[in-house]
Amino acid sequence: MTRHTTRMLIIGSGPAGLSAAIYAARAGMEPIVVQGLQPGGQLTITTDVENYPGFRDVIQGPWLMEQMQAQAEHVGTRMMWDTIVEVDVESGPPFVARGDSGDEYVGDTLVIATGAQAKWLGVPGEEALSGKGVSACATCDGFFYRGKKVAVIGGGNTAVEEALYLTNHSEDVTLIHRREDLRAEKILQDRLFAHPRISVLWNKRVERFLGDPLQGGLTGLQLADTVTGEMSEFGCEGAFVAIGHAPSTELFKGKLEIDANGYIVVAPGTPKTNRPGVFACGDVMDHTYRQAVTAAGTGCMAALDAERFLATLEYVRNEQQAAAAE
Ligand code: FAD
Ligand code: NAP
């Protein structure tokens, strides 16, 4: 077992964690980033990214994350191939985390950037056609379906917002829901029902995504009626699964304040959790925006606030040492 110590321990290597690392390393904090099972985060499972500032042409998600990692390492970040399996946020600072490897990571400050994962239906064709017509992010991918027929699956706020957003690009949007009542707020429902380019298919469950990933991608959905059991096919070129997101907060349950949807609660407008010295950034604390650029922005905020926290902590420690020496 090796014990790694740092002034800033960052859990997660998506845009939030790596942005925090870049700021922390440039401030001389010699941060450690524990990368987890998905080094580079969610953008490594997508292809085209067109909305990250700084690039006129389309860039690839995995490439963008390689650049962020290279920059973080170049300025002095230590990257660890490990996954945190246990963390003590209660008795720090310093905060102690244990990796799957058995190694221990000790940080004077802790930045949580463990992200979130979109929930998927888990039916045939979904994984194979992901990025080839199947998506879980209209803001990210809606642009690629300009003028095309698209479906949104789900009945909550996210699904209704995705459907409304997609009307910016598509002439023909269908919301497909497994029941005949939406869970979404009434104001959103009113907007949905009033929209001339949105239709709703009630009581339908997606059984299969149809199409060939190597030849044109998604062509439609096989649907089952949840009341009659009748099967049907629905033709579309894009399908957006919007059945919710699961933030990666298992490690922190009962240790940090977490909201009803599982997201880490931060003080409004800041990355500060309810534990001094522990900060959260990116999708793990943000169920509203969920974008690479917002994750990077809150990563920057976490590093700056951690730096300030550390300055205060070091000042207090020095004072205490001076008093003890007298
Ligand atoms: P993530 O990117 O989710 O990274 C989380 C990190 O935490 C990972 O490195 C993971 O390994 C690590 N981790 C988790 N648990 C542990 C643990 N226990 N120990 C150590 N590490 C751990 N956004 C855009 O702005 N533009 C787009 O075009 C776009 N396209 C997208 C396409 C797809 C298919 C998806 C899924 C998302 C897309 N997004 C896009 C959203 C964007 O990817 C996220 O908003 C962003 O990645 C969130 O960054 P994050 O750093 O908070 O978390
Ligand atoms: P959600 O409220 O949990 O809704 C998920 C929807 O997906 C439900 O309609 C559910 O159907 C459906 N669903 C779940 N699993 C499914 C499956 N396997 N197959 C088919 N359908 C499935 O999730 P959300 O919409 O992402 O919202 C999450 C939270 O964020 C909520 O608290 C929401 O209010 C909040 N949010 C707020 C805003 C806003 O305020 N503007 C925007 C987005 C999200 P059932 O209804 O049948 O269960």
Side-chain angles (χ1 to χ4, degrees):
M1 189 273 278
T2 310
R3 193 174 159 93
H4 310 270
T5 58
T6 174
R7 297 169 81 201
M8 193 195 295
L9 175 60
I10 301 168
I11 309 178
S13 55
L18 291 176
S19 300
I22 290 165
Y23 274 79
R26 293 193 72 252
M29 295 177 79
E30 298 177 339
I32 285 178
V33 170
V34 183
Q35 306 194 64
L37 292 176
Q38 192 177 55
Q42 293 170 60
L43 279 188
T44 59
I45 57 159
T46 189
T47 50
D48 296 354
V49 175
E50 288 194 59
N51 54 11
Y52 197 83
F55 306 95
R56 192 200 62 172
D57 298 324
V58 178
I59 54 168
Q60 299 298 299
W63 177 85
L64 177 62
M65 296 319 300
E66 278 168 28
Q67 303 308 307
M68 280 193 209
Q69 181 176 332
Q71 187 180 1
E73 286 181 308
H74 177 69
V75 289
T77 304
R78 284 179 282 166
M79 302 293 299
M80 300 292 175
W81 288 94
D82 207 348
T83 298
I84 299 302
V85 291
E86 202 180 328
V87 61
D88 178 3
V89 293
E90 285 133 321
S91 37
F95 305 99
V96 181
R98 190 168 54 80
D100 194 34
S101 65
D103 281 7
E104 216 169 69
Y105 302 89
V106 184
D108 286 336
T109 53
L110 178 66
V111 171
I112 300 166
T114 47
Q117 297 287 323
K119 291 182 190 162
W120 295 96
L121 293 169
V123 300
E126 185 178 46
E127 198 178 337
L129 289 159
S130 173
K132 309 254 176 344
V134 177
S135 168
C137 179
T139 321
C140 315
D141 298 333
F143 185 78
F144 303 122
Y145 299 93
R146 222 188 303 177
K148 296 182 177 170
K149 185 175 174 186
V150 299
V152 177
I153 300 131
N157 277 346
T158 302
V160 173
E161 283 192 341
E162 299 264 272
L164 289 165
Y165 175 81
L166 284 164
T167 60
N168 293 322
H169 305 291
S170 171
E171 291 299 308
D172 188 345
V173 180
T174 302
L175 186 87
I176 298 176
H177 185 37
R178 62 184 177 183
R179 297 186 293 123
E180 56 188 353
D181 281 314
L182 294 176
R183 195 179 280 271
E185 286 165 49
K186 182 161 182 322
I187 185 166
L188 285 173
Q189 294 197 30
D190 291 345
R191 274 185 224 149
L192 182 94
F193 297 139
H195 203 291
R197 294 202 300 280
I198 302 181
S199 330
V200 183
L201 273 181
W202 301 108
N203 298 324
K204 296 285 183 284
R205 187 173 59 236
V206 176
E207 293 282 292
R208 177 183 289 274
F209 290 84
L210 306 169
D212 183 342
L214 300 176
Q215 285 187 3
L218 185 79
T219 54
L221 310 171
Q222 187 181 69
L223 303 176
D225 192 294
T226 53
V227 178
T228 63
E230 194 184 330
M231 302 295 282
S232 59
E233 277 191 20
F234 176 84
C236 60
E237 290 154 286
F240 292 82
V241 178
I243 60 169
H245 281 75
S248 306
T249 48
E250 269 310 310
L251 282 173
F252 309 103
K253 287 198 174 136
K255 299 176 178 178
L256 289 176
E257 192 184 346
I258 288 181
D259 73 14
N261 296 311
Y263 289 82
I264 295 180
V265 175
V266 290
T270 82
K272 295 176 187 172
T273 71
N274 62 323
R275 292 267 167 204
V278 180
F279 304 88
C281 51
D283 283 14
V284 75
M285 48 68 92
D286 164 26
H287 65 82
T288 309
Y289 302 105
R290 294 195 297 245
Q291 295 297 297
V293 68
T294 47
T298 53
C300 156
M301 290 160 67
L304 294 178
D305 277 349
E307 206 185 313
R308 283 177 201 134
F309 173 84
L310 204 53
T312 312
L313 188 71
E314 284 168 358
Y315 176 79
V316 172
R317 276 182 190 161
N318 290 342
E319 291 285 295
Q320 283 168 345
Q321 277 166 7
E326 275 172 16

Tab-separated table of all heavy atoms in Angstrom, residues 4-10 24-33 76 78 93-95 105-111 277-279 302-303 305-315 317-318:
chain	number	residue	atom	x	y	z
A	4	HIS	N	-0.305	8.436	-0.827
A	4	HIS	CA	0.003	9.604	-1.652
A	4	HIS	C	-0.591	10.834	-0.965
A	4	HIS	O	-1.784	10.848	-0.656
A	4	HIS	CB	-0.642	9.477	-3.038
A	4	HIS	CG	-0.381	8.164	-3.714
A	4	HIS	ND1	0.700	7.946	-4.544
A	4	HIS	CD2	-1.065	6.993	-3.678
A	4	HIS	CE1	0.667	6.707	-4.997
A	4	HIS	NE2	-0.391	6.091	-4.490
A	5	THR	N	0.226	11.838	-0.741
A	5	THR	CA	-0.311	13.042	-0.091
A	5	THR	C	-0.268	14.236	-1.049
A	5	THR	O	0.608	14.324	-1.919
A	5	THR	CB	0.479	13.400	1.184
A	5	THR	OG1	1.829	13.591	0.809
A	5	THR	CG2	0.385	12.319	2.225
A	6	THR	N	-1.217	15.097	-0.893
A	6	THR	CA	-1.320	16.262	-1.780
A	6	THR	C	-2.064	17.382	-1.064
A	6	THR	O	-2.786	17.145	-0.103
A	6	THR	CB	-2.077	15.900	-3.080
A	6	THR	OG1	-2.280	17.086	-3.850
A	6	THR	CG2	-3.440	15.267	-2.801
A	7	ARG	N	-1.903	18.573	-1.590
A	7	ARG	CA	-2.679	19.676	-1.024
A	7	ARG	C	-4.092	19.692	-1.594
A	7	ARG	O	-4.995	20.239	-0.986
A	7	ARG	CB	-1.958	20.999	-1.289
A	7	ARG	CG	-0.595	21.019	-0.576
A	7	ARG	CD	0.241	22.186	-1.020
A	7	ARG	NE	-0.130	23.402	-0.342
A	7	ARG	CZ	0.138	24.614	-0.798
A	7	ARG	NH1	0.750	24.772	-1.960
A	7	ARG	NH2	-0.203	25.679	-0.099
A	8	MET	N	-4.261	19.097	-2.792
A	8	MET	CA	-5.630	18.991	-3.327
A	8	MET	C	-5.847	17.642	-3.997
A	8	MET	O	-5.186	17.316	-4.983
A	8	MET	CB	-5.933	20.095	-4.340
A	8	MET	CG	-7.436	20.156	-4.622
A	8	MET	SD	-7.861	21.110	-6.079
A	8	MET	CE	-7.338	22.717	-5.603
A	9	LEU	N	-6.763	16.889	-3.424
A	9	LEU	CA	-7.108	15.583	-3.990
A	9	LEU	C	-8.377	15.754	-4.819
A	9	LEU	O	-9.395	16.243	-4.326
A	9	LEU	CB	-7.347	14.574	-2.856
A	9	LEU	CG	-7.832	13.194	-3.280
A	9	LEU	CD1	-6.828	12.515	-4.214
A	9	LEU	CD2	-8.081	12.321	-2.038
A	10	ILE	N	-8.287	15.340	-6.082
A	10	ILE	CA	-9.433	15.488	-6.999
A	10	ILE	C	-9.896	14.099	-7.411
A	10	ILE	O	-9.102	13.294	-7.913
A	10	ILE	CB	-9.021	16.307	-8.250
A	10	ILE	CG1	-8.530	17.699	-7.833
A	10	ILE	CG2	-10.184	16.397	-9.238
A	10	ILE	CD1	-7.828	18.480	-8.925
A	24	ALA	N	-5.342	24.250	-10.035
A	24	ALA	CA	-4.622	23.934	-8.789
A	24	ALA	C	-3.129	23.766	-9.057
A	24	ALA	O	-2.285	24.246	-8.285
A	24	ALA	CB	-5.196	22.665	-8.172
A	25	ALA	N	-2.807	23.091	-10.142
A	25	ALA	CA	-1.385	22.856	-10.441
A	25	ALA	C	-0.688	24.184	-10.718
A	25	ALA	O	0.436	24.417	-10.258
A	25	ALA	CB	-1.264	21.916	-11.641
A	26	ARG	N	-1.361	25.065	-11.442
A	26	ARG	CA	-0.746	26.364	-11.756
A	26	ARG	C	-0.592	27.228	-10.500
A	26	ARG	O	0.216	28.147	-10.463
A	26	ARG	CB	-1.553	27.089	-12.841
A	26	ARG	CG	-1.477	26.354	-14.169
A	26	ARG	CD	-1.975	27.171	-15.335
A	26	ARG	NE	-1.040	28.243	-15.666
A	26	ARG	CZ	-1.254	29.526	-15.441
A	26	ARG	NH1	-2.378	29.906	-14.859
A	26	ARG	NH2	-0.354	30.424	-15.775
A	27	ALA	N	-1.387	26.898	-9.457
A	27	ALA	CA	-1.251	27.633	-8.188
A	27	ALA	C	-0.240	26.943	-7.269
A	27	ALA	O	-0.131	27.291	-6.092
A	27	ALA	CB	-2.610	27.725	-7.511
A	28	GLY	N	0.448	25.934	-7.797
A	28	GLY	CA	1.496	25.261	-7.022
A	28	GLY	C	0.964	24.270	-6.004
A	28	GLY	O	1.667	23.923	-5.052
A	29	MET	N	-0.258	23.793	-6.193
A	29	MET	CA	-0.847	22.899	-5.183
A	29	MET	C	-0.544	21.421	-5.437
A	29	MET	O	-0.982	20.570	-4.665
A	29	MET	CB	-2.360	23.129	-5.101
A	29	MET	CG	-2.683	24.524	-4.598
A	29	MET	SD	-4.435	24.849	-4.573
A	29	MET	CE	-4.895	23.989	-3.090
A	30	GLU	N	0.161	21.129	-6.511
A	30	GLU	CA	0.545	19.757	-6.851
A	30	GLU	C	-0.619	18.775	-6.653
A	30	GLU	O	-0.537	17.830	-5.859
A	30	GLU	CB	1.763	19.318	-6.030
A	30	GLU	CG	2.969	20.197	-6.331
A	30	GLU	CD	4.183	19.834	-5.487
A	30	GLU	OE1	4.005	19.208	-4.429
A	30	GLU	OE2	5.285	20.194	-5.898
A	31	PRO	N	-1.710	18.994	-7.391
A	31	PRO	CA	-2.898	18.150	-7.184
A	31	PRO	C	-2.701	16.724	-7.669
A	31	PRO	O	-1.887	16.465	-8.555
A	31	PRO	CB	-3.964	18.849	-8.035
A	31	PRO	CG	-3.186	19.529	-9.110
A	31	PRO	CD	-1.902	19.973	-8.478
A	32	ILE	N	-3.467	15.850	-7.057
A	32	ILE	CA	-3.566	14.466	-7.537
A	32	ILE	C	-4.965	14.295	-8.106
A	32	ILE	O	-5.953	14.698	-7.474
A	32	ILE	CB	-3.350	13.466	-6.380
A	32	ILE	CG1	-1.871	13.410	-6.014
A	32	ILE	CG2	-3.873	12.080	-6.751
A	32	ILE	CD1	-1.563	12.469	-4.848
A	33	VAL	N	-5.056	13.709	-9.305
A	33	VAL	CA	-6.360	13.351	-9.876
A	33	VAL	C	-6.464	11.829	-9.901
A	33	VAL	O	-5.624	11.159	-10.508
A	33	VAL	CB	-6.523	13.888	-11.314
A	33	VAL	CG1	-7.781	13.301	-11.973
A	33	VAL	CG2	-6.606	15.409	-11.322
A	76	GLY	N	1.729	20.101	-13.955
A	76	GLY	CA	2.165	19.510	-12.684
A	76	GLY	C	1.165	18.633	-11.948
A	76	GLY	O	1.361	18.344	-10.763
A	78	ARG	N	-0.564	15.172	-10.878
A	78	ARG	CA	-0.244	13.733	-10.834
A	78	ARG	C	-1.523	12.954	-11.122
A	78	ARG	O	-2.498	13.080	-10.387
A	78	ARG	CB	0.302	13.353	-9.460
A	78	ARG	CG	1.745	13.798	-9.250
A	78	ARG	CD	2.221	13.406	-7.873
A	78	ARG	NE	1.722	14.312	-6.855
A	78	ARG	CZ	1.748	14.075	-5.537
A	78	ARG	NH1	2.223	12.937	-5.078
A	78	ARG	NH2	1.282	14.957	-4.670
A	93	PRO	N	-10.033	18.305	7.528
A	93	PRO	CA	-8.826	17.988	6.779
A	93	PRO	C	-7.694	17.498	7.691
A	93	PRO	O	-7.661	17.897	8.853
A	93	PRO	CB	-8.460	19.338	6.140
A	93	PRO	CG	-9.080	20.384	7.014
A	93	PRO	CD	-10.284	19.748	7.631
A	94	PRO	N	-6.801	16.638	7.129
A	94	PRO	CA	-6.786	16.144	5.751
A	94	PRO	C	-7.833	15.051	5.528
A	94	PRO	O	-8.250	14.375	6.473
A	94	PRO	CB	-5.371	15.583	5.600
A	94	PRO	CG	-4.978	15.183	6.980
A	94	PRO	CD	-5.640	16.143	7.907
A	95	PHE	N	-8.226	14.897	4.266
A	95	PHE	CA	-9.243	13.920	3.884
A	95	PHE	C	-8.550	12.680	3.319
A	95	PHE	O	-7.647	12.796	2.497
A	95	PHE	CB	-10.182	14.529	2.847
A	95	PHE	CG	-10.800	15.812	3.337
A	95	PHE	CD1	-10.282	17.050	2.950
A	95	PHE	CD2	-11.874	15.788	4.229
A	95	PHE	CE1	-10.826	18.233	3.417
A	95	PHE	CE2	-12.428	16.972	4.706
A	95	PHE	CZ	-11.906	18.195	4.304
A	105	TYR	N	-5.004	7.905	-0.476
A	105	TYR	CA	-4.795	9.261	-0.982
A	105	TYR	C	-5.214	10.230	0.113
A	105	TYR	O	-6.327	10.135	0.630
A	105	TYR	CB	-5.628	9.489	-2.247
A	105	TYR	CG	-5.293	8.498	-3.336
A	105	TYR	CD1	-5.959	7.276	-3.414
A	105	TYR	CD2	-4.271	8.755	-4.249
A	105	TYR	CE1	-5.634	6.345	-4.380
A	105	TYR	CE2	-3.933	7.825	-5.225
A	105	TYR	CZ	-4.617	6.629	-5.283
A	105	TYR	OH	-4.279	5.716	-6.231
A	106	VAL	N	-4.308	11.150	0.436
A	106	VAL	CA	-4.577	12.074	1.535
A	106	VAL	C	-4.489	13.502	0.995
A	106	VAL	O	-3.440	13.905	0.477
A	106	VAL	CB	-3.554	11.878	2.675
A	106	VAL	CG1	-3.906	12.778	3.853
A	106	VAL	CG2	-3.496	10.424	3.100
A	107	GLY	N	-5.601	14.244	1.083
A	107	GLY	CA	-5.615	15.611	0.560
A	107	GLY	C	-5.979	16.613	1.632
A	107	GLY	O	-6.909	16.384	2.406
A	108	ASP	N	-5.263	17.741	1.658
A	108	ASP	CA	-5.637	18.819	2.578
A	108	ASP	C	-6.989	19.399	2.178
A	108	ASP	O	-7.717	19.941	3.017
A	108	ASP	CB	-4.590	19.936	2.546
A	108	ASP	CG	-3.324	19.523	3.281
A	108	ASP	OD1	-3.418	18.646	4.152
A	108	ASP	OD2	-2.254	20.064	2.954
A	109	THR	N	-7.286	19.333	0.870
A	109	THR	CA	-8.627	19.703	0.389
A	109	THR	C	-9.082	18.574	-0.530
A	109	THR	O	-8.255	17.837	-1.083
A	109	THR	CB	-8.605	21.023	-0.416
A	109	THR	OG1	-7.623	20.894	-1.448
A	109	THR	CG2	-8.266	22.209	0.447
A	110	LEU	N	-10.399	18.481	-0.685
A	110	LEU	CA	-10.953	17.411	-1.518
A	110	LEU	C	-11.912	18.026	-2.537
A	110	LEU	O	-12.815	18.786	-2.169
A	110	LEU	CB	-11.713	16.415	-0.632
A	110	LEU	CG	-12.396	15.249	-1.342
A	110	LEU	CD1	-11.378	14.311	-1.981
A	110	LEU	CD2	-13.271	14.465	-0.365
A	111	VAL	N	-11.689	17.691	-3.811
A	111	VAL	CA	-12.594	18.146	-4.871
A	111	VAL	C	-13.271	16.917	-5.477
A	111	VAL	O	-12.605	16.024	-5.989
A	111	VAL	CB	-11.829	18.945	-5.951
A	111	VAL	CG1	-12.735	19.220	-7.155
A	111	VAL	CG2	-11.300	20.257	-5.377
A	277	GLY	N	-13.729	22.516	3.314
A	277	GLY	CA	-12.569	21.866	2.682
A	277	GLY	C	-12.947	20.844	1.632
A	277	GLY	O	-12.087	20.338	0.923
A	278	VAL	N	-14.260	20.538	1.532
A	278	VAL	CA	-14.716	19.574	0.514
A	278	VAL	C	-15.560	20.335	-0.513
A	278	VAL	O	-16.541	21.007	-0.149
A	278	VAL	CB	-15.558	18.442	1.145
A	278	VAL	CG1	-16.012	17.454	0.071
A	278	VAL	CG2	-14.757	17.729	2.230
A	279	PHE	N	-15.183	20.218	-1.771
A	279	PHE	CA	-15.841	20.966	-2.843
A	279	PHE	C	-16.367	19.981	-3.889
A	279	PHE	O	-15.797	18.899	-4.068
A	279	PHE	CB	-14.836	21.942	-3.482
A	279	PHE	CG	-14.229	22.868	-2.462
A	279	PHE	CD1	-13.084	22.490	-1.756
A	279	PHE	CD2	-14.828	24.081	-2.166
A	279	PHE	CE1	-12.535	23.318	-0.778
A	279	PHE	CE2	-14.290	24.921	-1.184
A	279	PHE	CZ	-13.146	24.536	-0.492
A	302	ALA	N	-14.021	25.390	-8.045
A	302	ALA	CA	-13.650	24.501	-6.926
A	302	ALA	C	-12.171	24.679	-6.579
A	302	ALA	O	-11.797	24.762	-5.403
A	302	ALA	CB	-13.954	23.049	-7.283
A	303	ALA	N	-11.325	24.752	-7.613
A	303	ALA	CA	-9.887	24.901	-7.349
A	303	ALA	C	-9.596	26.239	-6.667
A	303	ALA	O	-8.815	26.303	-5.710
A	303	ALA	CB	-9.104	24.787	-8.657
A	305	ASP	N	-11.633	28.088	-4.836
A	305	ASP	CA	-12.132	28.093	-3.455
A	305	ASP	C	-11.298	27.189	-2.557
A	305	ASP	O	-11.071	27.500	-1.380
A	305	ASP	CB	-13.610	27.668	-3.419
A	305	ASP	CG	-14.526	28.852	-3.714
A	305	ASP	OD1	-14.032	29.992	-3.726
A	305	ASP	OD2	-15.734	28.628	-3.940
A	306	ALA	N	-10.814	26.070	-3.112
A	306	ALA	CA	-9.963	25.156	-2.326
A	306	ALA	C	-8.648	25.857	-1.969
A	306	ALA	O	-8.130	25.722	-0.847
A	306	ALA	CB	-9.700	23.879	-3.108
A	307	GLU	N	-8.138	26.596	-2.934
A	307	GLU	CA	-6.891	27.341	-2.710
A	307	GLU	C	-7.066	28.345	-1.554
A	307	GLU	O	-6.228	28.443	-0.656
A	307	GLU	CB	-6.593	28.092	-4.003
A	307	GLU	CG	-5.158	28.420	-4.254
A	307	GLU	CD	-5.063	29.270	-5.518
A	307	GLU	OE1	-5.683	28.925	-6.546
A	307	GLU	OE2	-4.381	30.281	-5.448
A	308	ARG	N	-8.206	29.044	-1.563
A	308	ARG	CA	-8.483	30.021	-0.500
A	308	ARG	C	-8.636	29.314	0.846
A	308	ARG	O	-8.135	29.774	1.871
A	308	ARG	CB	-9.770	30.807	-0.810
A	308	ARG	CG	-9.507	31.857	-1.852
A	308	ARG	CD	-10.758	32.611	-2.260
A	308	ARG	NE	-10.486	33.212	-3.566
A	308	ARG	CZ	-11.298	33.190	-4.597
A	308	ARG	NH1	-12.473	32.656	-4.508
A	308	ARG	NH2	-10.944	33.747	-5.731
A	309	PHE	N	-9.327	28.186	0.815
A	309	PHE	CA	-9.529	27.423	2.057
A	309	PHE	C	-8.173	27.010	2.623
A	309	PHE	O	-7.902	27.127	3.820
A	309	PHE	CB	-10.382	26.176	1.757
A	309	PHE	CG	-10.508	25.252	2.930
A	309	PHE	CD1	-11.471	25.469	3.903
A	309	PHE	CD2	-9.639	24.172	3.080
A	309	PHE	CE1	-11.574	24.621	5.001
A	309	PHE	CE2	-9.734	23.329	4.171
A	309	PHE	CZ	-10.706	23.554	5.134
A	310	LEU	N	-7.305	26.545	1.725
A	310	LEU	CA	-5.992	26.066	2.149
A	310	LEU	C	-5.146	27.198	2.723
A	310	LEU	O	-4.426	27.018	3.717
A	310	LEU	CB	-5.296	25.449	0.934
A	310	LEU	CG	-4.226	24.430	1.200
A	310	LEU	CD1	-4.726	23.315	2.098
A	310	LEU	CD2	-3.750	23.841	-0.120
A	311	ALA	N	-5.240	28.366	2.097
A	311	ALA	CA	-4.467	29.517	2.594
A	311	ALA	C	-4.875	29.820	4.025
A	311	ALA	O	-4.022	30.051	4.903
A	311	ALA	CB	-4.701	30.724	1.694
A	312	THR	N	-6.183	29.784	4.300
A	312	THR	CA	-6.676	30.046	5.663
A	312	THR	C	-6.199	28.955	6.604
A	312	THR	O	-5.720	29.221	7.716
A	312	THR	CB	-8.226	30.094	5.669
A	312	THR	OG1	-8.629	30.934	4.614
A	312	THR	CG2	-8.774	30.597	6.979
A	313	LEU	N	-6.307	27.711	6.140
A	313	LEU	CA	-5.919	26.567	6.969
A	313	LEU	C	-4.429	26.651	7.338
A	313	LEU	O	-4.042	26.466	8.497
A	313	LEU	CB	-6.173	25.278	6.168
A	313	LEU	CG	-6.020	23.956	6.876
A	313	LEU	CD1	-7.160	23.764	7.860
A	313	LEU	CD2	-6.038	22.805	5.860
A	314	GLU	N	-3.606	26.973	6.339
A	314	GLU	CA	-2.165	27.047	6.587
A	314	GLU	C	-1.825	28.210	7.517
A	314	GLU	O	-0.947	28.103	8.374
A	314	GLU	CB	-1.417	27.116	5.251
A	314	GLU	CG	-1.389	25.735	4.607
A	314	GLU	CD	-0.933	25.717	3.160
A	314	GLU	OE1	-0.661	26.795	2.595
A	314	GLU	OE2	-0.866	24.602	2.599
A	315	TYR	N	-2.571	29.301	7.377
A	315	TYR	CA	-2.357	30.442	8.258
A	315	TYR	C	-2.648	30.033	9.712
A	315	TYR	O	-1.860	30.295	10.618
A	315	TYR	CB	-3.272	31.602	7.821
A	315	TYR	CG	-3.198	32.800	8.727
A	315	TYR	CD1	-2.139	33.698	8.628
A	315	TYR	CD2	-4.187	33.023	9.696
A	315	TYR	CE1	-2.055	34.783	9.483
A	315	TYR	CE2	-4.107	34.114	10.547
A	315	TYR	CZ	-3.048	34.987	10.429
A	315	TYR	OH	-2.970	36.059	11.271
A	317	ARG	N	-2.697	26.988	10.965
A	317	ARG	CA	-1.698	26.012	11.426
A	317	ARG	C	-0.410	26.724	11.863
A	317	ARG	O	0.176	26.416	12.888
A	317	ARG	CB	-1.357	25.027	10.301
A	317	ARG	CG	-2.330	23.868	10.206
A	317	ARG	CD	-1.879	22.924	9.106
A	317	ARG	NE	-2.886	21.926	8.821
A	317	ARG	CZ	-2.952	21.218	7.708
A	317	ARG	NH1	-2.070	21.422	6.743
A	317	ARG	NH2	-3.886	20.307	7.532
A	318	ASN	N	0.027	27.691	11.050
A	318	ASN	CA	1.261	28.429	11.380
A	318	ASN	C	1.118	29.187	12.703
A	318	ASN	O	2.031	29.208	13.531
A	318	ASN	CB	1.610	29.421	10.254
A	318	ASN	CG	2.056	28.688	9.010
A	318	ASN	OD1	2.424	27.506	9.101
A	318	ASN	ND2	2.022	29.344	7.864
